[in-house]
Amino acid sequence: MRRVAKGIGEFLMETVGEAVAEVILTLLACALLLGLLLIAYLSWSFSPRLTVAGAGLFCLFLAHGAWSVFRDPTKGRRRRGFAAVTAAGFTLTAATGVFLLFYGTECSCL
């Protein structure tokens, strides 16, 4: 009887923990999404031309990072300097996009 009660208690703690983690991740995704929208809005209201130019430069940065990540590595060469920075930026942006895809879609605040 004691083992059954202990098993049920562990199951309930795990279930509650997962529910709390899900809520925290959803709130974090909503905050991130709202922050990105606020940055875009404030940037556009400050200067639309500068916003478009910045978005274009950011797209070029991400394109170079994607090219650095997915190209065939040459033997004995490592990413250095700008290529390493763009690869890290692309990886971070892709991870953020996947995070928002999974948890930002549940955000009913928009």
Side-chain angles (χ1 to χ4, degrees):
M1 187 68 164
R2 189 178 267 175
R3 278 193 328 199
V4 173
K6 185 177 178 182
I8 291 173
E10 288 176 1
F11 172 75
L12 288 176
M13 286 300 292
E14 184 177 333
T15 304
V16 169
E18 286 179 10
V20 169
E22 188 80 21
V23 168
I24 290 172
L25 287 173
T26 302
L27 289 175
L28 183 65
C30 285
L32 179 64
L33 192 58
L34 288 176
L36 290 172
L37 289 174
L38 180 65
I39 289 170
Y41 173 75
L42 292 175
S43 171
W44 187 263
S45 65
F46 175 70
S47 173
R49 289 181 187 167
L50 192 59
T51 302
V52 172
L57 286 174
F58 188 65
C59 287
L60 285 174
F61 175 81
L62 291 179
H64 187 270
W67 177 74
S68 296
V69 168
F70 293 117
R71 72 178 179 161
D72 291 333
T74 55
K75 195 168 194 163
R77 305 249 318 156
R78 295 184 345 200
R79 282 188 215 104
R80 292 187 180 156
F82 186 66
V85 171
T86 58
F90 172 75
T91 304
L92 181 68
T93 304
T96 303
V98 169
F99 173 72
L100 286 176
L101 181 68
F102 285 132
Y103 291 103
T105 55
E106 298 174 10
C107 182
S108 60
C109 57
L110 296 179

